[in-house]
Amino acid sequence: MTDKPRPRPARRDLKRRSQLAGEAAAASTEVETALEHPADPTAAAFFDVDNTVMQGASIFHFALGLYRRKFFTTRDIAGAAYKQAYFRFFGVEDPEHVAEARNSALSFIAGHTVAELEELGEEIFDEAMAHRIWPGTRALAQLHLDEGQRVWLVTAAPIEIARIIARRLGLTGAMGTVAEHVDGVYTGQLVGDMLHGPAKAEAIKALAEREGLDLSRCSAYSDSANDLPMLSLVGDPVAINPDAALRAHARANGWRIRDYRTGRKAARATLLVGAAAGAVSGALAAGAALRRSRS
């Protein structure tokens, strides 16, 4: 008697995981600490992080910082570098890469404390992320703050990283992927799933209901067509450093487009490939140097 193949997860189950991820992210949001009520309480802005607020993938920079602190191996970081190269060149996240990144990330944080990763996150932001913030996007966020509106980051990156970036930029707070922890120690499981694609929209809807936001008066910013569910929720969607699919969609729908990357479009592909190759070769060189130091 042969074993029956395992059924694939139903679409309803995947949708529920997105809802759980969104609800968890909204529940973990750090609302502004100011005692004064915002001047414009029903309008807000939501910003994706990777390639929107920051050049490249924040989780890659964080992982590289952890690698330098011997959290994991050269092989692990080389794989992360490859996924960063894919992300930078094609402008999209491969679903298999997203799942692999989730599983590998959970494997190395399991057993570590929340306080430990938050402390390391502060150090890694200073050394690897601060200089990668796009000034133009930061200025857009500041415009919303100056108008008395609240500003949240919405990202697939871990909530701990997202909060650090939001705090350092003076934003209201952040929503990110929530890893389960018990008594301050990570279990290696997620709450729901990664805050990615439809889950971002679920997080924003949950936050809007809680905070009394009018989504038709809100803005959202992203570089990726994966964030169309989030962008389509609000009255003012904006494409920042958009991938080809998002640029086409934004033009077709009359959305604003802002591109803060180099203007040398003819050399753009070469620059991306060079940056990606540099990331991979840098990781391998670091591993070779580490092996030499041990020999």
Side-chain angles (χ1 to χ4, degrees), residues 240-251:
I240 303 288
N241 305 326
D243 61 29
L246 179 57
R247 185 181 293 274
H249 188 93
R251 284 175 172 169

Side-chain angles (χ1 to χ4, degrees), residues 22-23 34 39 79 98 108 118 121 124 133-134 138 141 173 175 182 205 223 227 239 241-242 253 255 280:
E23 291 167 2
V98 170
F108 75 74
E118 288 177 343
I124 294 168
I133 301 296
W134 295 107
R138 186 171 187 175
M175 294 183 284
V182 176
K205 286 190 287 187
D223 71 296
D227 284 338
N241 305 326
N253 289 274
W255 295 357
V280 176

